Amino acid sequence: MSEPRVFLLPDLGEGLTEAELVSWHVAVGDEIAVDQPIAEVETAKSAVEVPSPYAGIVTELHGQPGETLDVGKPLITVTPVGANAGAAADDAAPAPSPAQPEVQPTETELAGPKPANAAAEAYREEEKAGSGNVLIGYGTPGGHGVARRTRARKAAVALAEPAEPKPTEDDLTLLRTRVPGKLGAVISPLVRRMAREHGVDLGDISGSGDSGLIMRRDVEAALRTTAPVEAPAAKPEEAKPAETRPATAPREAAPANGVDARTGLGIAARTPVRGVRKAVAANMARSRAEIPEATVWVDVDATALLELREGLKANGAEAPGLLAFIARFVTAGLKKYPELNTRIEAAEDGSQEIVAFDGVNLGFAAQTDRGLVVPSVRGAEKLSARELDGEIRRLTQVARDGKATPTELGSGTFTLNNYGVFGVDGSAAIINHPEVAILGVGRIIDKPWVVNGELAVRKVTELTLTFDHRVCDGGTAGGFLRFVADAIENPTSLLADI
């Protein structure tokens, strides 16, 4: 009888270190196949299904729906069955216990020094033993029905098998940690552990290694930049020994009663900051701490734009939403004022660079049941208003369903925020780090307006631009804002393609 295999919660990409268990797709006693979805988990980015790297009988589920699990902690225990399971196991090595995944010296020695954290090393070794399907929804590197092993088999078995090129350690690392659409997120387990222990968001780092590989020096540079803000928050978590923290302990550890010492009021509830709210809080705090922002705003007569849209509808033509029209004006404005479509990067020596992009990935704020997320329309400058409208609608739906990919949620270069849907006129928005600007649109309401020297009632909205003063001055910001405002007041000048 083969020994049980413990599958650890895999690395879900974008520097995420935990996920909330939403539901199980299997139960104890079920027989499962390799790559069969076993659970749905929710991260700060989206809801994803986790496939099993092992085939066999489910013997234990490590966690209950609603609990938060750390990456690298046990998720499910599977006992292999049949001939395939026996072939996948090591013939000569002693069987490991479920709590201690067996060591694989061949790859471990090639990878260099072992991490000091036993849990991180266990996760790394277990990850190598499975199917390789650790990036949810993006395929299995191995493509085999049984777990892949790196320990040498018996000579007779090796001679009987057909020759197959073996992946190198670099290949395994790339396959194991690559985030689709973002090569810079390819990182080693050691670098991931270092970033996690110091509270560094790897999604905000551009790698200095080959093909954008994030190196240890990149994390150290980020620590020099953010240590005053992020280090204090990380200390309480670091102070706890890893072995004393239950992998499946609910985060609602504190009772929702008692009296608050400061106010003398009774405590009605305690709500953990996690998931999307945790990610938003961290990103907004970092934006406020790092970016010297400034805000400019202008009232705009949107009457002509509304009349144009109503005219299209009256003629039976497809009429894009107002946000799509404004998005079209924004992409045109960013072509004229590219300074606002950039990013600031810090070098190891403390110097800074302004990184410009050949294209616009236009993010837009979308309110969901899980919180505020910012999906982005990739290559938005190439799309017409109708095409932008279709993509905005699609991305809004997948974001609300919790199915948006890390690439869709983390690749924006400029953000458009329509807070007018909440019935407010204006807002000094916080820039979506690491971008350098965000444009807000208020509600459209009737206001008195002077037209050709006469007072009239017009449809007026307020545009608010918050920008990073490091990349440009007020002249550039004001020029961009005025460009978009003029386009809204005279839409036909820019909408030949609609």
Side-chain angles (χ1 to χ4, degrees), residues 200-467:
V200 175
D201 186 354
L202 293 169
D204 293 335
I205 298 178
S206 297
S208 60
D210 294 340
S211 299
L213 187 71
I214 294 180
M215 311 296 288
R216 177 170 182 164
R217 60 177 176 266
D218 301 320
V219 177
E220 291 173 344
L223 285 174
R224 288 194 294 270
T225 303
T226 63
V229 176
E230 297 187 356
K235 287 181 181 177
E237 194 72 12
E238 294 173 12
K240 292 184 179 181
E243 62 272 13
T244 64
R245 295 173 55 211
T248 59
R251 296 306 170 96
E252 293 86 351
N257 53 25
V259 177
D260 178 53
R262 178 178 175 274
T263 64
L265 299 176
I267 298 175
R270 292 181 181 271
T271 304
V273 179
R274 62 187 180 191
V276 170
R277 175 51 52 197
K278 181 178 180 180
V280 169
N283 198 46
M284 295 301 99
R286 182 172 186 181
S287 178
R288 283 293 197 200
E290 294 184 13
I291 298 177
E293 62 185 32
T295 303
V296 291
W297 60 91
V298 64
D299 288 338
V300 181
D301 181 1
T303 306
L305 178 59
L306 290 174
E307 291 175 347
L308 171 66
R309 187 168 184 272
E310 289 302 318
L312 290 173
K313 293 169 66 175
N315 293 329
E318 180 183 354
L322 289 175
L323 188 64
F325 281 116
I326 298 174
R328 180 71 181 86
F329 303 148
V330 166
T331 58
L334 291 175
K335 288 182 181 179
K336 187 173 183 180
Y337 299 93
E339 297 92 336
L340 295 170
N341 189 51
T342 59
R343 182 176 67 227
I344 290 279
E345 285 188 0
E348 290 188 15
D349 60 2
S351 62
Q352 294 181 328
E353 292 181 332
I354 298 177
V355 180
F357 304 107
D358 184 16
V360 177
N361 288 350
L362 184 63
F364 61 95
Q367 193 68 39
T368 72
D369 292 339
R370 300 171 59 245
L372 184 69
V373 296
V374 186
S376 59
V377 179
R378 298 173 66 83
E381 81 285 356
K382 302 174 183 177
L383 304 181
S384 67
R386 284 197 176 94
E387 291 168 334
L388 285 167
D389 185 66
E391 191 65 1
I392 288 172
R393 293 179 187 276
R394 182 190 72 81
L395 288 169
T396 299
Q397 189 58 53
V398 297
R400 288 175 177 168
D401 292 340
K403 302 299 183 182
T405 66
T407 298
E408 290 170 331
L409 292 175
S411 59
T413 60
F414 183 96
T415 295
L416 176 61
N417 185 7
N418 180 20
Y419 43 71
V421 296
F422 302 114
V424 298
D425 298 335
S427 171
I430 300 177
I431 296 171
N432 185 25
H433 187 279
E435 298 169 17
V436 298
I438 180 171
L439 179 69
V441 184
R443 62 177 178 163
I444 300 176
I445 59 176
D446 290 339
K447 279 189 176 183
W449 199 262
V450 177
V451 181
N452 298 324
E454 296 183 359
L455 192 63
V457 176
R458 307 290 284 184
K459 300 293 185 180
V460 177
T461 186
E462 181 180 282
L463 300 182
T464 307
L465 177 69
T466 302
F467 65 99

Side-chain angles (χ1 to χ4, degrees), residues 54-125:
Y54 306 129
I57 303 297
V58 177
T59 55
E60 186 176 357
L61 303 177
H62 301 276
Q64 297 295 326
E67 295 183 2
T68 299
L69 308 179
D70 292 331
V71 168
K73 296 296 184 179
L75 179 64
I76 189 173
T77 299
V78 178
T79 299
V81 294
N84 286 343
D90 265 354
D91 296 324
S97 65
Q100 181 63 42
E102 65 182 41
V103 179
Q104 302 172 19
T106 303
E107 286 199 19
T108 304
E109 292 170 2
L110 289 173
K114 295 182 178 179
N117 186 300
E121 178 64 11
Y123 164 54
R124 186 168 181 269
E125 296 300 330

Side-chain angles (χ1 to χ4, degrees), residues 19-93:
E20 180 178 336
L21 179 60
V22 176
S23 63
W24 287 107
H25 295 337
V26 297
V28 174
D30 289 353
E31 184 171 353
I32 61 176
V34 171
D35 286 345
Q36 176 180 332
I38 55 175
E40 182 179 5
V41 299
E42 184 179 46
T43 71
K45 299 293 185 181
S46 60
V48 293
E49 289 186 333
V50 180
S52 172
Y54 306 129
I57 303 297
V58 177
T59 55
E60 186 176 357
L61 303 177
H62 301 276
Q64 297 295 326
E67 295 183 2
T68 299
L69 308 179
D70 292 331
V71 168
K73 296 296 184 179
L75 179 64
I76 189 173
T77 299
V78 178
T79 299
V81 294
N84 286 343
D90 265 354
D91 296 324

Side-chain angles (χ1 to χ4, degrees), residues 34-35 52-54 127 129-134 140-144 146-148:
V34 171
D35 286 345
S52 172
Y54 306 129
E127 188 182 63
S131 72
N133 195 353
V134 296
T140 307
H144 297 292
V146 297
R148 301 184 63 171

